[in-house]
Amino acid sequence: MRNFTRPGYLPVMTHKMWLRIVWGHDRERKAAHAWAAEQAEDADDWGDRIDGALWRESAGFARSLAESARPRVQELVSAGIDLGGPGGIELLYFLTRILRPGTVLETGVAAGWSTSAVLGAMKVNGAGRLYSSDFPFFRIPDPERYIGYVVPEELKGPWKLHIKGDRRNLEEILLPGTKVELLHYDSDKTRKGREFFLLRSRPHLGENHIIVMDDIQDNMVFREYAETQGLYRVFPYEGKFIGVTGPGLAALERTAGK
Ligand SMILES: C[S@@+](CC[C@H](N)C(=O)[O-])C[C@H]1O[C@@H](n2cnc3c(N)ncnc32)[C@H](O)[C@@H]1O
């Protein structure tokens, strides 16, 4: 029988359990990366196929945002603050323009590239409201100041930012009766974080919603979810992968080019 009172038993067990968890995560990450790489297709080809003119407009928006945000990025660099770079701007702009969603939910704002993409498209649509969830990045001084730092002032009208962390923010955002048509998940990349988001948002998904998830190579959550949805797309982005799924994707592809 195991002698649980033997000195050193508990630290050894804790270490073994820790190794098992880390090894399990590592194995899952490798499998998720391999799956994403196998599924991946070029976003430009996909966008062109769905609506070439709108994809070009989206690429134009991404270029002009990068240009206009340059001074703010420079300020961040000079202050030694790294909030991460742009991710999937064309795709989010494109989906917001083509779906014309009444309500968009995003998690993970940081400097606000994805936020700017959705708000930029909403401005052209002349409709829509964006709810964003984030929390201050505690390793920098005055962190609230930098959330959404690159979001142009003139786009902020339809934006509601919540900064208490996803668990508390989603309680505030997803009220009874709230329906969301486009969701972008880019905050807590752990299995637990992603599963919480998918479960918590489920009663609030609009009939033809689309879910976009960043960094799907981190674990199998996107694959598991997407395979229940039928259609999904995976796009490579700077060595990482973005996943897109939901009934709105099938609807979009059915009507593409008509
Ligand atoms: C990759 S960045 C988001 C990048 C952003 N989408 C963009 O395009 O600029 C991830 C963000 O998620 C936030 N975050 C991480 N875990 C979170 C949580 N549990 N709740 C809310 N925000 C979280 C981080 O503070 C960080 O700002």
Side-chain angles (χ1 to χ4, degrees), residues 45-62:
D45 292 345
W46 178 83
D48 259 346
R49 206 167 66 236
I50 304 294
D51 185 333
L54 195 54
W55 188 256
R56 284 189 292 282
E57 180 186 314
S58 309
F61 174 83

Side-chain angles (χ1 to χ4, degrees), residues 35 47 59 82 84 86 102 108 156 160 243 246 253:
W35 177 81
D82 179 11
K156 287 184 178 172
K160 182 85 178 76
E253 297 205 3

Side-chain angles (χ1 to χ4, degrees), residues 85 87 108-114 133-135 137 165-166 184 186-189:
V109 178
W113 298 102
S114 51
S133 167
D134 204 287
F135 59 38
F137 193 56
D166 288 345
H184 176 226
D186 192 17
S187 52
D188 175 2
K189 309 292 167 68

